[in-house]
Amino acid sequence: MSNKYKETESPVVFLKNEAARQRWELFHRAIAHAKQSNNDALDEADPNAIDAESIRPLLTIVR
């Protein structure tokens, strides 16, 4: 029986890849959470905001 592994089959490489994947997943979840809390804070700070998705930009023409 051989103890030689291909580089991609090595248990150490697999663990490093899995750890890196988990870190990236956690990073993206943290970014999504930060965006959501920022949007929630902005909505709470603006008493006139009804629904951020239903509000259209106000366009005024000044002459």
Side-chain angles (χ1 to χ4, degrees), residues 7-38:
E7 185 176 329
T8 57
E9 294 176 356
S10 169
V12 174
V13 171
F14 173 76
L15 291 175
K16 286 181 180 179
N17 288 341
E18 181 63 16
R21 186 196 63 75
Q22 289 176 354
R23 283 193 308 269
W24 276 111
E25 183 178 338
L26 185 61
F27 171 76
H28 288 292
R29 287 174 54 196
I31 294 295
H33 177 73
K35 284 182 180 179
Q36 184 61 47
S37 17
N38 189 30

